Amino acid sequence: MTELNRPRGTRDFGPDQMAVRRYVESEIRSVLQDFGYNEVQTPTFEHLDLFVAKSGPQVVDQIYAFKDKGDRDLALRPELTAPVMRFYQAELRNEPKPLRILYFGNCFRYERPQKGRYREFWQMGLEYIGKRTALAYAEVISAAISALRKVGLRGFSVRIGDVGLLREVFRELGIDLSKERDLAIALDKKEAGKVRQVILQKSSSHDIAEILTNTYSLSEATDVIGDLLKGAGEAVEEEGALLMSLFDILKSSAGEEVIFDPSITRGLDYYDGIVFEIDVPSLGAEKQICGGGGYSMTSMFNSEVNGIGFGLGFDRIIMAIDGPERAGGDGVGIYYLIPMGERAVRESISIMDRIRDSGRKCILETQGRNVKKAIGYGINCGADHVIIIGDAEMDEKKISIKDLTNREQVSIPSSDLEKYLEGI
RNA sequence: GCCGGGGUGGUGUAGCCUGGUAGCACCAGGGACUGUGGAUCCCUUAGCUCGAGUUCAAAUCUCGGUCCCGGCCCCA
């Protein structure tokens, strides 16, 4: 036998798992739809250039990229924001603003698989395209929180920061954050000592490292932001004012899971406003289940495009809720038809059609097994009624219906089937 | 890319240290049993991750690959 197993980093999902996944998917989708977001879908693969334009040439290392037979450079999408924005720019740009878009789909990255990280994974997310106001940010963050709560997730924390503010604060210190990769990483890891060290090299400013590498509760947030703005320049003040009013709104609408974390950098790639991350500590190393923020894609599309978005790590959400909240289950009744002998087959098929027409699940014994075996199979499949049609029934134009839950069996004229179904 | 732990029928495992008949349970299919409940008994299918080395002999010891798991790096 040759290699017929799954490619590394991919997964198969069995019926039980799919029931949970579909349930969670539809619950989250419906929450986001309630926030006014409408779903779109884009291709599974795109021109490689789209992703290079968004994230830089180094991302190619982590992308499934290939040439097609026309020698085009293509790539399996590693994320959904870029395709959605491409779609927006090409066809949706004249829609009334703000435009609220929702998406769900599989994405692919060539990375070393580990817990919570696969080479094929699913993302659900949204993009709010329009002017980035405090209310808009509050809406997007609330949507993420509501979605997670809806599927029964508890014990997550929402960290909110501001990449734009961070940039401006450092600019006033004479530091270009984009060029100080080590500093950005140190910030993200909250290595206060290292951050302080870099800052002191460039400036003799007060100990801002301490402020930046801590986190603050919702009630402390506005005071801390106030401290940061004190004596600051115009650019810092402008960014900070937006963040301040966002926290003002969140104070009344969000819960204690929200904290201010000024050191979030989100890779600094294309977010340039307020950013946020949500994680579930119990997941371990790959605990982040949501990342998002405000961005400007102006340079990518040569026209002004502003928005706020987030992506939810669908697979990690499934892992985080695994157990507590399960799918509603397929507890809806299944009717299992057992035809006995040639004469009964045609009648059984028509009975089956009538049951399905009534909106109920119905399966047929197709293996020619005897009644005993067949009933055993029906029980294993979760059927709650079996219907037996044999010569005896055919002679009397009746059908025998057995309720597996109470072992009671009735014989009714086959013309009374619908009446029987309604009576249940 | 780096560090560590693993891999025995479809699933879960015993055997490995101390080399010598691959055992158990579940699941699946069939029979006892051709019209009625998950029972019972019997039968069947099916396995040592791959390659090299050591050895009379390797699931077992050694090395390498591969895949899985946990962590690091990275994370659009």
XYZ file of all heavy atoms in Angstrom, chain A residues 8-9 54 109 112 115 117 181 185 189 266 285 371 379-380 388 390-393 402-404 407 409, chain B residues 1-4 28-31 33-39 67-76:
748
model
N -0.068 15.750 6.296
C 0.326 16.309 7.588
C -0.443 17.592 7.897
O -0.572 18.470 7.045
C 1.825 16.609 7.522
C 2.473 17.077 8.781
C 3.970 16.978 8.577
N 4.742 17.833 9.453
C 5.023 17.532 10.707
N 4.583 16.404 11.227
N 5.752 18.342 11.443
N -0.917 17.660 9.138
C -1.565 18.906 9.568
C -3.011 19.054 9.133
O -3.601 20.105 9.319
N -0.393 42.195 0.947
C -0.894 42.504 2.281
C 0.156 42.272 3.359
O 0.295 43.047 4.291
C -2.123 41.674 2.591
C -2.710 42.038 3.947
C -3.781 41.085 4.410
C -4.107 41.367 5.862
N -4.155 40.175 6.677
N -2.068 27.122 5.902
C -0.740 27.683 6.147
C 0.253 26.552 6.294
O -0.030 25.547 6.950
C -0.719 28.537 7.415
C -1.551 29.785 7.300
C -1.463 30.662 8.540
N -2.469 31.703 8.455
C -2.720 32.600 9.407
N -2.000 32.573 10.523
N -3.643 33.513 9.255
N 4.473 24.235 11.179
C 4.582 23.003 11.934
C 3.326 22.810 12.770
O 2.995 23.653 13.584
C 5.795 23.049 12.852
C 6.087 21.720 13.490
C 6.965 21.881 14.706
N 7.033 20.657 15.461
C 6.043 20.147 16.159
N 4.894 20.782 16.215
N 6.184 19.016 16.799
N -0.719 21.519 18.895
C -2.057 21.673 19.458
C -2.665 23.015 19.053
O -2.073 24.060 19.274
C -1.997 21.577 20.985
C -3.360 21.657 21.636
C -3.250 21.569 23.137
C -4.633 21.581 23.782
N -4.535 21.635 25.242
N -3.036 24.145 16.158
C -2.482 24.723 14.935
C -2.400 23.642 13.864
O -1.710 22.643 14.022
C -1.095 25.305 15.200
C -0.452 25.861 13.947
C 0.952 26.331 14.190
N 1.004 27.596 14.896
C 2.138 28.270 15.071
N 3.273 27.800 14.598
N 2.118 29.403 15.739
N 12.289 45.735 15.375
C 11.571 44.470 15.484
C 11.746 43.838 16.876
O 10.797 43.311 17.453
C 12.076 43.505 14.405
C 11.359 42.198 14.420
C 11.117 41.665 13.007
N 10.374 40.420 13.095
C 9.065 40.371 13.232
N 8.365 41.491 13.257
N 8.437 39.214 13.331
N 8.755 42.771 19.545
C 8.593 41.431 20.120
C 8.672 41.478 21.639
O 7.883 40.833 22.337
C 9.649 40.475 19.536
C 9.315 40.204 18.058
C 9.701 39.174 20.314
C 10.335 39.372 17.320
N 5.741 40.408 24.349
C 5.978 39.431 25.416
C 6.021 40.070 26.798
O 6.289 39.392 27.782
C 7.309 38.714 25.154
C 7.293 37.806 23.958
C 8.640 37.137 23.805
C 8.618 36.168 22.659
N 9.962 35.636 22.390
N 0.267 42.916 17.400
C -0.366 42.208 16.288
C 0.560 42.119 15.079
O 0.101 42.187 13.945
C -1.662 42.902 15.856
C -2.744 42.919 16.885
C -3.906 42.029 16.498
N -3.627 40.638 16.725
C -3.965 39.657 15.919
N -4.562 39.915 14.789
N -3.689 38.432 16.217
N -0.432 26.596 24.706
C 0.454 27.458 23.921
C -0.300 28.249 22.846
O 0.012 29.396 22.584
C 1.558 26.631 23.271
N -35.860 -9.553 10.854
C -36.425 -8.525 11.720
C -35.571 -8.314 12.977
O -35.329 -7.196 13.393
C -37.863 -8.890 12.120
C -38.390 -7.922 13.156
C -38.753 -8.880 10.901
N -31.927 0.322 16.442
C -31.636 0.845 17.777
C -30.262 1.498 17.815
O -30.090 2.606 18.322
C -31.722 -0.288 18.813
C -33.187 -0.726 18.980
C -31.162 0.169 20.154
C -33.345 -2.037 19.700
N -29.302 0.812 17.211
C -27.947 1.367 17.190
C -27.877 2.689 16.446
O -27.029 3.518 16.733
C -26.973 0.382 16.549
C -26.572 -0.710 17.511
O -26.651 -0.523 18.724
N -26.159 -1.846 16.990
N -42.818 -2.113 10.184
C -42.638 -3.409 9.552
C -43.757 -3.631 8.537
O -44.941 -3.452 8.838
C -42.652 -4.519 10.615
C -41.478 -4.319 11.572
C -42.578 -5.893 9.945
C -41.611 -5.059 12.878
N -44.882 -6.568 5.886
C -44.672 -7.901 5.330
C -45.942 -8.401 4.680
O -46.875 -7.620 4.429
N -45.989 -9.669 4.416
C -47.152 -10.227 3.719
C -48.438 -10.003 4.502
O -49.472 -9.650 3.929
C -46.944 -11.735 3.496
C -45.880 -11.981 2.430
O -45.605 -11.034 1.661
O -45.335 -13.087 2.385
N -48.345 -10.193 5.811
C -49.529 -10.023 6.637
C -50.088 -8.620 6.497
O -51.296 -8.419 6.309
C -49.199 -10.324 8.104
N -49.207 -7.627 6.553
C -49.636 -6.234 6.436
C -50.183 -5.970 5.038
O -51.197 -5.278 4.870
C -48.466 -5.283 6.725
C -48.121 -5.134 8.197
C -47.277 -6.276 8.728
O -46.876 -7.135 7.933
O -47.005 -6.309 9.953
N -43.808 0.151 15.403
C -43.389 -0.168 16.754
C -42.615 1.009 17.337
O -41.664 1.507 16.731
C -42.492 -1.403 16.743
C -41.979 -1.775 18.125
C -41.570 -3.210 18.189
C -41.303 -3.611 19.622
N -41.360 -5.053 19.806
N -43.042 1.460 18.503
C -42.367 2.556 19.192
C -41.258 1.967 20.059
O -41.520 1.270 21.029
C -43.388 3.309 20.056
C -42.772 4.541 20.694
O -41.529 4.593 20.793
O -43.527 5.444 21.086
N -40.049 2.230 19.686
C -38.931 1.602 20.396
C -38.753 2.151 21.809
O -38.089 1.535 22.639
C -37.635 1.790 19.610
C -37.555 1.017 18.288
C -36.310 1.425 17.524
C -37.567 -0.481 18.518
N -41.798 0.112 23.514
C -41.996 -1.250 23.012
C -43.428 -1.539 22.593
O -43.802 -2.696 22.439
C -41.572 -2.280 24.079
C -40.111 -2.161 24.447
C -39.702 -3.221 25.443
N -38.268 -3.102 25.683
C -37.448 -4.139 25.657
N -37.901 -5.343 25.419
N -36.161 -3.963 25.880
N -46.506 -1.679 20.041
C -46.657 -1.816 18.604
C -48.113 -1.689 18.223
O -48.983 -2.254 18.874
C -46.113 -3.180 18.163
C -46.198 -3.393 16.662
C -45.339 -4.549 16.209
O -44.356 -4.882 16.860
N -45.697 -5.154 15.100
P 12.027 22.097 8.202
O 11.587 23.104 7.209
O 12.842 20.967 7.744
O 12.887 22.886 9.283
C 14.194 23.355 8.960
C 14.673 24.217 10.097
O 13.739 25.307 10.313
C 14.744 23.517 11.451
O 15.944 22.777 11.606
C 14.634 24.685 12.423
O 15.870 25.349 12.560
C 13.650 25.607 11.689
N 12.263 25.394 12.124
C 11.219 24.951 11.356
N 10.095 24.866 12.025
C 10.426 25.286 13.315
C 9.629 25.395 14.491
O 8.432 25.142 14.619
N 10.369 25.847 15.580
C 11.702 26.151 15.542
N 12.245 26.569 16.680
N 12.467 26.053 14.456
C 11.753 25.613 13.391
P 15.909 21.406 12.479
O 17.219 20.729 12.288
O 14.655 20.681 12.215
O 15.870 21.971 13.964
C 16.940 22.739 14.475
C 16.667 23.142 15.896
O 15.508 24.016 15.941
C 16.291 21.999 16.833
O 17.419 21.307 17.322
C 15.524 22.717 17.930
O 16.388 23.364 18.834
C 14.772 23.778 17.127
N 13.409 23.334 16.762
C 12.425 23.334 17.755
O 12.731 23.706 18.892
N 11.177 22.925 17.444
C 10.895 22.522 16.204
N 9.653 22.129 15.952
C 11.878 22.500 15.178
C 13.111 22.910 15.493
P 17.302 19.731 17.723
O 18.668 19.211 17.967
O 16.424 19.066 16.739
O 16.534 19.803 19.113
C 17.146 20.382 20.244
C 16.231 20.330 21.440
O 15.065 21.153 21.200
C 15.639 18.955 21.740
O 16.531 18.105 22.432
C 14.421 19.323 22.569
O 14.786 19.661 23.899
C 13.935 20.582 21.855
N 12.903 20.279 20.853
C 11.592 20.087 21.310
O 11.359 20.186 22.521
N 10.614 19.796 20.421
C 10.909 19.695 19.118
N 9.905 19.410 18.274
C 12.223 19.883 18.623
C 13.188 20.167 19.517
P 16.439 16.496 22.242
O 17.553 15.873 22.993
O 16.274 16.222 20.808
O 15.068 16.134 22.974
C 15.034 16.025 24.386
C 13.633 15.910 24.887
O 12.801 16.939 24.279
C 12.888 14.627 24.546
O 13.260 13.541 25.368
C 11.441 15.055 24.748
O 11.125 15.121 26.127
C 11.465 16.470 24.179
N 11.058 16.473 22.762
C 11.845 16.635 21.654
N 11.172 16.566 20.533
C 9.866 16.332 20.937
C 8.674 16.156 20.172
O 8.535 16.175 18.945
N 7.571 15.930 20.985
C 7.599 15.893 22.355
N 6.434 15.670 22.968
N 8.689 16.058 23.076
C 9.774 16.271 22.309
P -21.071 -2.850 16.214
O -22.268 -2.038 15.914
O -21.188 -4.048 17.063
O -20.379 -3.265 14.841
C -20.088 -2.278 13.849
C -19.402 -2.929 12.670
O -18.095 -3.415 13.081
C -20.104 -4.167 12.124
O -21.155 -3.832 11.247
C -18.951 -4.893 11.425
O -18.654 -4.294 10.187
C -17.801 -4.621 12.395
N -17.661 -5.699 13.392
C -18.056 -5.683 14.707
N -17.799 -6.802 15.349
C -17.195 -7.603 14.397
C -16.686 -8.908 14.441
N -16.699 -9.667 15.536
N -16.152 -9.420 13.301
C -16.136 -8.657 12.202
N -16.582 -7.410 12.033
C -17.103 -6.938 13.177
P -22.441 -4.733 11.202
O -23.423 -4.035 10.343
O -22.813 -5.130 12.577
O -21.931 -6.026 10.439
C -21.611 -5.973 9.060
C -21.043 -7.285 8.591
O -19.803 -7.556 9.293
C -21.892 -8.516 8.905
O -22.970 -8.685 8.005
C -20.853 -9.630 8.796
O -20.530 -9.899 7.456
C -19.647 -8.955 9.476
N -19.646 -9.250 10.916
C -20.011 -8.429 11.944
N -19.903 -9.005 13.121
C -19.438 -10.287 12.841
C -19.129 -11.376 13.705
O -19.203 -11.427 14.934
N -18.694 -12.490 12.996
C -18.572 -12.543 11.630
N -18.148 -13.709 11.122
N -18.850 -11.541 10.813
C -19.274 -10.455 11.482
P -24.289 -9.404 8.525
O -25.275 -9.314 7.440
O -24.606 -8.890 9.865
O -23.838 -10.923 8.686
C -23.506 -11.700 7.541
C -22.967 -13.048 7.940
O -21.832 -12.866 8.829
C -23.906 -13.935 8.761
O -24.889 -14.569 7.964
C -22.918 -14.919 9.371
O -22.478 -15.864 8.419
C -21.750 -13.984 9.713
N -21.858 -13.495 11.100
C -22.197 -12.233 11.528
N -22.205 -12.136 12.836
C -21.853 -13.412 13.286
C -21.686 -13.923 14.607
O -21.829 -13.338 15.684
N -21.327 -15.262 14.599
C -21.131 -16.018 13.467
N -20.792 -17.289 13.661
N -21.274 -15.556 12.234
C -21.629 -14.259 12.223
P -26.269 -14.973 8.607
O -27.122 -15.471 7.511
O -26.738 -13.861 9.453
O -25.884 -16.191 9.554
C -25.436 -17.421 8.999
C -25.062 -18.387 10.087
O -24.034 -17.798 10.919
C -26.159 -18.740 11.087
O -27.047 -19.709 10.570
C -25.362 -19.257 12.273
O -24.892 -20.564 12.035
C -24.147 -18.303 12.246
N -24.337 -17.172 13.166
C -24.650 -15.871 12.860
N -24.735 -15.104 13.920
C -24.461 -15.946 14.981
C -24.400 -15.696 16.382
O -24.578 -14.633 16.983
N -24.088 -16.843 17.106
C -23.869 -18.075 16.549
N -23.589 -19.071 17.403
N -23.915 -18.338 15.250
C -24.214 -17.230 14.534
P -31.501 -22.252 15.278
O -31.736 -21.703 16.626
O -32.165 -23.501 14.820
O -31.820 -21.133 14.225
C -33.171 -20.846 13.847
C -33.332 -19.366 13.628
O -33.219 -18.690 14.901
C -32.277 -18.766 12.717
O -32.903 -17.813 11.865
C -31.325 -18.061 13.687
O -30.704 -16.934 13.111
C -32.290 -17.625 14.791
N -31.658 -17.443 16.106
C -31.353 -16.140 16.518
O -31.622 -15.203 15.766
N -30.794 -15.950 17.717
C -30.525 -16.999 18.504
N -29.963 -16.746 19.681
C -30.807 -18.329 18.108
C -31.380 -18.510 16.917
P -33.204 -18.249 10.377
O -33.374 -19.688 10.331
O -32.130 -17.606 9.568
O -34.576 -17.514 10.064
C -34.713 -16.114 10.315
C -35.884 -15.636 9.517
O -35.598 -15.865 8.118
C -37.177 -16.359 9.845
O -38.277 -15.470 9.999
C -37.356 -17.332 8.674
O -38.703 -17.592 8.440
C -36.697 -16.546 7.527
N -36.198 -17.446 6.515
C -36.901 -17.456 5.330
O -37.877 -16.729 5.144
N -36.453 -18.337 4.403
C -35.396 -19.193 4.530
O -35.115 -19.935 3.612
C -34.707 -19.122 5.791
C -35.130 -18.272 6.714
P -39.244 -14.830 9.366
O -40.290 -15.778 8.983
O -38.730 -13.854 8.396
O -39.759 -14.026 10.632
C -38.861 -13.344 11.479
C -39.697 -12.468 12.356
O -40.465 -11.569 11.517
C -40.702 -13.257 13.183
O -40.884 -12.604 14.421
C -41.995 -13.147 12.377
O -43.151 -13.215 13.169
C -41.836 -11.735 11.783
N -42.575 -11.583 10.527
C -42.472 -12.337 9.401
N -43.271 -11.947 8.448
C -43.937 -10.853 8.991
C -44.932 -10.022 8.429
O -45.436 -10.081 7.307
N -45.338 -9.042 9.320
C -44.842 -8.889 10.585
N -45.353 -7.893 11.283
N -43.907 -9.656 11.135
C -43.515 -10.617 10.278
P -40.328 -13.287 15.695
O -39.270 -14.230 15.306
O -41.501 -13.729 16.463
O -39.628 -12.094 16.470
C -38.409 -11.526 15.966
C -38.208 -10.164 16.578
O -38.966 -9.195 15.821
C -38.705 -10.075 18.014
O -37.859 -9.188 18.728
C -40.092 -9.452 17.857
O -40.518 -8.732 18.989
C -39.858 -8.520 16.679
N -41.081 -8.213 15.921
C -41.654 -6.988 16.099
O -41.197 -6.165 16.866
N -42.773 -6.756 15.367
C -43.370 -7.611 14.485
O -44.372 -7.268 13.882
C -42.718 -8.887 14.345
C -41.616 -9.143 15.056
P -37.325 -9.506 20.104
O -36.545 -10.739 19.970
O -38.437 -9.407 21.065
O -36.320 -8.306 20.389
C -35.027 -8.270 19.755
C -34.196 -7.255 20.481
O -34.792 -5.962 20.283
C -34.138 -7.466 21.992
O -32.888 -7.012 22.462
C -35.226 -6.566 22.518
O -34.993 -6.106 23.822
C -35.146 -5.408 21.526
N -36.421 -4.742 21.341
C -37.578 -5.289 20.871
N -38.560 -4.426 20.804
C -38.012 -3.246 21.272
C -38.593 -1.986 21.430
O -39.740 -1.631 21.191
N -37.676 -1.076 21.937
C -36.382 -1.352 22.237
N -35.659 -0.345 22.707
N -35.816 -2.532 22.087
C -36.691 -3.429 21.608
P -31.794 -8.067 22.799
O -32.247 -9.415 22.468
O -31.266 -7.773 24.139
O -30.727 -7.633 21.711
C -30.749 -6.307 21.187
C -29.384 -5.691 21.311
O -29.532 -4.281 21.417
C -28.632 -6.128 22.572
O -27.249 -6.073 22.265
C -28.985 -5.034 23.573
O -28.005 -4.844 24.563
C -29.073 -3.817 22.682
N -30.011 -2.799 23.150
C -31.058 -2.933 24.025
N -31.697 -1.812 24.214
C -31.026 -0.887 23.426
C -31.248 0.491 23.222
O -32.125 1.214 23.699
N -30.326 1.048 22.353
C -29.314 0.359 21.760
N -28.504 1.049 20.950
N -29.087 -0.941 21.923
C -29.981 -1.488 22.775
P -26.451 -7.438 22.313
O -25.048 -7.079 22.561
O -26.846 -8.156 21.095
O -26.996 -8.270 23.566
C -26.780 -7.818 24.893
C -27.215 -8.889 25.858
O -28.569 -9.300 25.509
C -26.396 -10.177 25.779
O -25.259 -10.095 26.612
C -27.396 -11.232 26.257
O -27.500 -11.246 27.654
C -28.699 -10.695 25.669
N -28.987 -11.270 24.348
C -29.091 -10.596 23.154
N -29.346 -11.373 22.128
C -29.420 -12.648 22.689
C -29.669 -13.912 22.120
N -29.892 -14.106 20.825
N -29.668 -14.969 22.942
C -29.445 -14.775 24.249
N -29.201 -13.622 24.905
C -29.206 -12.599 24.052
P 6.084 13.688 7.716
O 5.404 14.410 6.626
O 7.137 14.370 8.493
O 4.988 13.158 8.733
C 3.804 12.533 8.257
C 3.137 11.747 9.355
O 4.067 10.753 9.862
C 2.748 12.545 10.591
O 1.530 13.231 10.420
C 2.667 11.452 11.646
O 1.475 10.712 11.501
C 3.838 10.568 11.251
N 5.072 10.920 11.982
C 5.260 10.375 13.258
O 4.386 9.626 13.710
N 6.374 10.680 13.940
C 7.287 11.498 13.414
N 8.371 11.774 14.132
C 7.121 12.074 12.122
C 6.007 11.756 11.446
P 1.253 14.541 11.305
O 0.022 15.151 10.771
O 2.492 15.341 11.396
O 0.947 13.961 12.757
C -0.221 13.177 12.986
C -0.228 12.666 14.405
O 0.911 11.793 14.613
C -0.069 13.719 15.489
O -1.277 14.393 15.781
C 0.431 12.876 16.662
O -0.636 12.143 17.238
C 1.361 11.896 15.953
N 2.762 12.373 15.948
C 3.518 12.186 17.112
O 2.978 11.647 18.089
N 4.806 12.593 17.140
C 5.342 13.175 16.056
N 6.610 13.566 16.127
C 4.588 13.384 14.863
C 3.313 12.971 14.850
P -1.220 15.873 16.364
O -2.610 16.343 16.459
O -0.230 16.644 15.596
O -0.644 15.667 17.831
C -1.386 14.962 18.813
C -0.593 14.872 20.090
O 0.598 14.082 19.869
C -0.058 16.193 20.631
O -1.031 16.937 21.321
C 1.076 15.713 21.526
O 0.579 15.189 22.741
C 1.653 14.564 20.696
N 2.765 15.012 19.843
C 4.031 15.149 20.439
O 4.161 14.889 21.630
N 5.083 15.565 19.671
C 4.893 15.838 18.385
N 5.944 16.248 17.681
C 3.620 15.718 17.762
C 2.589 15.301 18.522
P -0.978 18.539 21.247
O -2.244 19.028 21.826
O -0.576 18.947 19.891
O 0.218 18.905 22.237
C 0.067 18.707 23.629
C 1.359 18.984 24.350
O 2.371 18.040 23.917
C 2.002 20.328 24.069
O 1.393 21.396 24.764
C 3.430 20.077 24.524
O 3.524 20.067 25.927
C 3.651 18.651 23.998
N 4.253 18.684 22.661
C 3.643 18.525 21.444
N 4.470 18.633 20.432
C 5.702 18.880 21.015
C 6.980 19.092 20.429
O 7.281 19.100 19.241
N 7.960 19.308 21.398
C 7.733 19.322 22.754
N 8.790 19.560 23.523
N 6.545 19.125 23.315
C 5.584 18.912 22.396
P 1.392 22.850 24.123
O 0.604 23.699 25.047
O 1.011 22.746 22.708
O 2.928 23.299 24.170
C 3.503 23.723 25.390
C 5.004 23.827 25.268
O 5.543 22.636 24.639
C 5.571 24.944 24.404
O 5.520 26.210 25.043
C 6.999 24.464 24.202
O 7.754 24.646 25.376
C 6.768 22.960 23.991
N 6.657 22.661 22.554
C 5.554 22.309 21.828
N 5.804 22.143 20.549
C 7.157 22.412 20.431
C 8.011 22.407 19.282
O 7.718 22.152 18.112
N 9.314 22.747 19.609
C 9.760 23.054 20.871
N 11.041 23.360 20.999
N 8.974 23.064 21.950
C 7.703 22.732 21.652
P 5.525 27.532 24.125
O 5.400 28.673 25.053
O 4.558 27.367 23.026
O 6.992 27.522 23.508
C 8.118 27.858 24.296
C 9.366 27.880 23.444
O 9.490 26.625 22.722
C 9.399 28.921 22.341
O 9.748 30.209 22.819
C 10.449 28.352 21.401
O 11.752 28.598 21.874
C 10.154 26.854 21.491
N 9.294 26.391 20.386
C 9.876 26.275 19.112
O 11.076 26.553 18.977
N 9.111 25.849 18.081
C 7.835 25.548 18.272
N 7.136 25.139 17.211
C 7.214 25.678 19.548
C 7.979 26.097 20.571
P 9.107 31.503 22.138
O 9.727 32.674 22.778
O 7.641 31.351 22.149
O 9.598 31.423 20.624
C 10.941 31.748 20.283
C 11.165 31.581 18.806
O 10.910 30.201 18.439
C 10.222 32.364 17.912
O 10.639 33.711 17.741
C 10.276 31.566 16.612
O 11.450 31.861 15.894
C 10.349 30.143 17.141
N 9.011 29.522 17.232
C 8.442 28.990 16.072
O 9.076 29.043 15.013
N 7.207 28.420 16.139
C 6.550 28.389 17.304
N 5.354 27.826 17.316
C 7.111 28.934 18.494
C 8.326 29.484 18.415
P 9.602 34.879 17.862
O 10.340 36.129 17.676
O 8.815 34.676 19.089
O 8.640 34.654 16.611
C 9.114 34.863 15.276
C 8.173 34.242 14.282
O 7.980 32.847 14.611
C 6.757 34.801 14.273
O 6.657 35.998 13.513
C 5.973 33.656 13.658
O 6.173 33.606 12.263
C 6.663 32.453 14.287
N 5.983 32.011 15.523
C 4.888 31.139 15.395
O 4.549 30.777 14.267
N 4.246 30.714 16.518
C 4.642 31.132 17.716
N 3.978 30.696 18.778
C 5.747 32.024 17.873
C 6.378 32.431 16.761
P 5.738 37.168 14.053
O 5.885 38.283 13.106
O 5.991 37.380 15.494
O 4.268 36.561 13.889
C 3.629 36.523 12.615
C 2.458 35.586 12.631
O 2.842 34.366 13.321
C 1.234 36.051 13.415
O 0.417 36.937 12.666
C 0.546 34.735 13.721
O -0.141 34.247 12.594
C 1.733 33.823 14.016
N 2.042 33.797 15.467
C 1.321 32.904 16.276
O 0.480 32.172 15.745
N 1.565 32.874 17.599
C 2.475 33.691 18.132
N 2.681 33.635 19.439
C 3.222 34.608 17.334
C 2.970 34.626 16.012
P -0.448 37.987 13.429
O 0.221 38.283 14.712
O -1.805 37.435 13.395
O -0.408 39.318 12.559
C 0.290 39.414 11.321
C -0.694 39.375 10.166
O -0.059 38.718 9.072
C -1.946 38.550 10.414
O -2.947 39.283 11.089
C -2.340 38.125 9.012
O -2.967 39.182 8.348
C -0.982 37.905 8.372
N -0.573 36.492 8.503
C -0.415 35.743 9.637
N -0.034 34.520 9.409
C 0.058 34.448 8.037
C 0.416 33.410 7.164
N 0.751 32.194 7.575
N 0.408 33.667 5.850
C 0.067 34.890 5.428
N -0.277 35.959 6.158
C -0.271 35.659 7.465
